[in-house]
Amino acid sequence: MPDITTEQGVYVNPAGEFTRDQRYIASRITRDGRDGYPVEAGRYRLVVSRACPWASRAVIVRRLLGLEDAISMAIAGPTHDKRSWTFDLAPGGIDPVLGYERLQQAFFKRFPDYERGITVPAIVDVTTGEVVTNDYPQITIDMSLEWRDHQRPGAPELYPEALRPEIDEVNEVVFKDVNNGVYRAGFAGSQEAYEKAYTRLFDRLDWLSDRLADRRYLVGDTITEADVRLFTTLVRFDAVYHGHFKCNRQKLTEMPVLWAYARDLFATPGFGDTVDFDHIKRHYYEVHRDINPTGIVPAGPDLSGWLTPHGREALGGRPFGDGTPPGPVRADEVVPREHTAEG
């Protein structure tokens, strides 16, 4: 594990408002290979950390669509230093497919002078060892659209054409106010910037509660990309965002509609079975030393509530539409029981 006490990054913006660098590597893996990266089973490796909400989107979508055999997955450890995520969970600390100790190596292999963040999720071309993309919003969309020929029978439509405008609209406001909103609160460097982000976050959560009060899913009557993107923030809310990021008007467990909605998704194959609460807590509390200087990881919260009945079936809806649930998690990708709500 990297020595994060001496090689930590700085996350809080001392000037006030936190602004996320969204300059990602825009290369895409497509059927026609127009960027030089054609869809090809076995050629690419998805690098993730279960701690990261952005990476968790790709983990969920890959599982829902049954792309495990087409796109292999490397799971980095829950912490990183200012240089890179590391493969400290792998035997000898070396990813067995890429032969790398750090994700940084794949970025530098393609861009020797790369100066931006080494982020997950990232997709690496196994044939060259070079990173292809870390453009996380596009990665999951392309899994749905470009990788269709390699999806499992019964894979759901997560980005159906008729609903794309509405999905995109919901995704945009949820990203600004919720997905990124918790970070804008947590990394704010002034009282004014924090309170602005806090207000936007809870105003949007209230809006989402109203939207979901009489409908099971965010857009249409099936699970879509929009639900995946909201879930990865909600599942981290009480464990880290409520305390660590000072998003403390209410806990998720105190917001009845969103709590039931989150439990509904958590109980759905492909969602809760990918969540590692241990990695989530260790990442935020150990890495963000400018917020939590001691690096102490809280023992709570009690996770057993995630396993309680949610009652959302009464709203109808068809989780997978005309498709089917994914099968069991691959043996080499099972989250350790002690890291789950059952642990």
Side-chain angles (χ1 to χ4, degrees):
M1 183 176 297
D3 182 358
I4 56 177
T5 63
T6 59
E7 295 191 85
Q8 60 185 333
V10 175
Y11 298 90
V12 172
N13 177 13
E17 186 169 333
F18 166 74
T19 302
R20 181 176 298 279
D21 184 355
Q22 296 187 67
R23 297 171 297 162
Y24 298 103
I25 301 169
S27 305
R28 292 176 58 194
I29 301 169
T30 57
R31 293 185 190 184
D32 61 11
R34 57 185 176 274
D35 288 350
Y37 301 102
V39 167
E40 183 180 325
R43 176 171 170 175
Y44 305 99
R45 190 154 175 82
L46 173 67
V47 180
V48 302
S49 168
R50 294 195 190 276
C52 172
W54 320 102
S56 292
R57 298 176 176 185
V59 176
I60 292 169
V61 170
R62 171 178 173 270
R63 172 148 161 67
L64 292 177
L65 299 178
L67 291 171
E68 292 96 332
D69 290 337
I71 306 172
S72 68
M73 185 168 73
I75 303 173
T79 63
H80 60 76
D81 58 23
K82 63 184 178 182
R83 288 186 290 165
S84 176
W85 296 89
T86 56
F87 297 111
D88 44 290
L89 301 178
I94 304 294
D95 180 74
V97 174
L98 300 175
Y100 289 154
E101 176 187 4
R102 294 175 171 273
L103 177 57
Q104 183 187 58
Q105 292 169 265
F107 280 69
F108 286 174
K109 183 74 179 295
R110 183 177 176 193
F111 304 106
D113 299 322
Y114 192 81
E115 296 180 345
R116 302 196 295 277
I118 309 295
T119 63
V120 290
I123 296 182
V124 178
D125 185 344
V126 175
T127 65
T128 63
E130 298 179 355
V131 67
V132 176
T133 181
N134 62 342
D135 187 358
Y136 66 90
Q138 193 63 51
I139 285 173
T140 51
I141 296 297
D142 284 345
M143 283 183 178
S144 283
L145 303 184
E146 302 296 331
W147 286 86
R148 192 178 299 274
D149 293 343
H150 297 277
Q151 294 172 10
R152 65 178 176 86
E157 287 270 0
L158 299 178
Y159 196 54
E161 186 171 5
L163 297 178
R164 286 175 202 170
E166 187 176 1
I167 292 172
D168 292 344
E169 181 181 355
V170 170
N171 283 346
E172 181 178 1
V173 296
V174 168
F175 169 77
K176 289 180 179 178
D177 299 339
V178 180
N179 301 143
N180 195 46
V182 293
Y183 288 87
R184 292 175 65 247
F187 293 156
S190 71
Q191 190 71 31
E192 180 182 6
Y194 161 72
E195 292 184 4
K196 180 181 177 182
Y198 173 99
T199 299
R200 284 181 58 177
L201 167 64
F202 282 99
D203 284 350
R204 185 60 64 190
L205 290 176
D206 290 342
W207 178 85
L208 287 165
S209 291
D210 290 342
R211 183 181 181 94
L212 289 164
D214 58 359
R215 56 195 299 172
R216 193 170 178 185
Y217 303 111
L218 279 172
V219 182
D221 67 347
T222 65
I223 291 168
T224 68
E225 177 82 14
D227 298 294
V228 175
R229 296 190 183 194
L230 178 57
F231 173 79
T232 59
T233 296
L234 295 183
V235 80
R236 288 162 173 75
F237 201 88
D238 287 4
V240 290
Y241 301 143
H242 178 270
H244 184 58
F245 278 174
K246 306 179 183 69
C247 301
N248 61 355
R249 189 192 78 178
Q250 292 163 292
K251 296 177 181 178
L252 177 64
T253 55
E254 297 167 344
M255 294 180 268
V257 171
L258 290 179
W259 176 223
Y261 165 79
R263 297 200 320 276
D264 186 5
L265 291 176
F266 189 86
T268 302
F271 285 84
D273 54 26
T274 69
V275 175
D276 189 318
F277 286 106
D278 177 79
H279 282 199
I280 289 169
K281 292 198 300 181
R282 287 177 57 197
H283 171 73
Y284 285 89
Y285 286 101
E286 292 184 18
V287 172
H288 301 154
R289 290 298 180 94
D290 49 349
I291 298 176
N292 185 44
T294 64
I296 293 173
V297 180
D302 180 0
L303 301 173
S304 61
W306 283 102
L307 306 177
T308 59
H310 51 77
R312 298 277 294 179
E313 305 94 333
L315 296 175
R318 303 174 301 139
F320 297 97
D322 295 328
T324 58
V329 180
R330 291 169 56 116
D332 59 344
E333 295 180 4
V334 172
V335 177
R337 182 183 176 87
E338 62 270 22
H339 294 187
T340 72
E342 297 178 342

